[in-house]
Structures are given as C-alpha cells and as structure tokens.
C-alpha cells in the first residue's frame, strides 16, 4: 500500500518536512504545508472519481530542481510520486470556479432580497 492509499484508509502520515527546513536541509522561510484535511479531500475526491485506479502508467520528464524544491516546500509532501499524484489530482479535479464566477457576475437581479 503506498502512502496515498494509506492516507485514504488510515491515518495520514505523508512524508512531510519539518518547519524551517527545505528538501535539501537548508533553512527556508516557514513552508506552508498542505493541510492533512486538504490532502485527504483532494485524494478522496480523486479516488471517488475513479482517478486513482490501477497504477500502470509511468511518466517522466525533466523539470527545474528549483520548481521541485519549491513545490515540496510549499506542500510539505516529500516524495516525488506523492507530490506528482497530488498535483495531477488537483488539476484533474479543478472545477474552474473562477471562470464560472466571472461569467455569472451581474446575473443576479439587484432587487432580489437576500435577507440581510
């Protein structure tokens, strides 16, 4: 069972960095870890949507080490696999709220009584 499956079925013990330490062990500004509840919510929604089924696809690519380190610092997720899976799940589940919100701006009748 990998870390993500364990997090969904048991307590969430994702590998996380400690405050003030970067992936390379250098001192950083306080990293903003993804909360366990946010991580769990994203991964639970991905599982519920059927996005976390069989793990038979392998991806590879070259990325900037600074990008990888910043993403790990920002999320607190230390393993590349878990970070990639969380990032892909976040993108795949995006509901494009901002665009929808902008498109509906001004569509509510200004005379509508909202009760406050």
């Amino acid at each position: 069972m990998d870390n993500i499956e364990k997090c969904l079925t048991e307590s969430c013990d994702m590998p996380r960095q400690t405050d003030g330490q970067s992936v390379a062990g250098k001192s950083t500004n306080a990293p903003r870890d993804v909360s366990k509840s946010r991580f769990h919510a994203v991964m639970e929604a991905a599982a519920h949507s059927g996005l976390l089924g069989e793990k038979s696809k392998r991806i590879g690519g070259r990325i900037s080490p600074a990008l990888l380190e910043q993403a790990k610092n920002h999320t607190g997720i230390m393993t590349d696999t878990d970070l990639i899976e969380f990032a892909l799940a976040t993108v795949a589940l995006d509901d494009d709220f901002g665009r929808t919100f902008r498109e509906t701006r001004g569509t509510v009748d200004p005379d509508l009584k909202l009760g406050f």
Side-chain angles (χ1 to χ4, degrees):
M1 178 181 318
D2 67 13
N3 287 335
I4 291 173
E5 290 170 342
K6 182 179 179 185
C7 184
L8 293 174
T9 59
E10 302 173 13
S11 66
C12 188
D13 290 328
M14 292 299 298
R16 302 176 78 77
Q17 67 191 56
T18 58
D19 286 344
Q21 294 295 312
S22 72
V23 176
K26 300 174 192 163
S27 180
T28 64
N29 293 334
R32 298 183 309 163
D33 288 2
V34 171
S35 70
K36 288 182 181 182
S37 60
R38 178 174 176 214
F39 176 84
H40 189 273
V42 168
M43 300 314 294
E44 178 105 351
H48 182 70
S49 298
L51 298 174
L52 298 182
E54 177 188 358
K55 293 185 179 186
S56 60
K57 183 70 177 166
R58 182 172 173 85
I59 62 172
R62 298 202 183 280
I63 60 168
S64 161
L67 175 62
L68 181 62
E69 185 164 339
Q70 182 63 27
K72 287 180 176 182
N73 286 342
H74 186 75
T75 64
I77 299 171
M78 298 306 297
T79 67
D80 293 350
T81 299
D82 291 341
L83 180 64
I84 291 167
E85 194 161 30
F86 176 73
L88 289 172
T90 300
V91 170
L93 295 169
D94 183 21
D95 62 3
D96 207 6
F97 174 78
R99 181 184 57 78
T100 303
F101 187 71
R102 283 189 305 275
E103 288 175 357
T104 59
R105 184 178 183 152
T107 60
V108 176
D109 183 352
D111 294 329
L112 180 67
K113 303 294 182 203
L114 298 176
F116 55 86

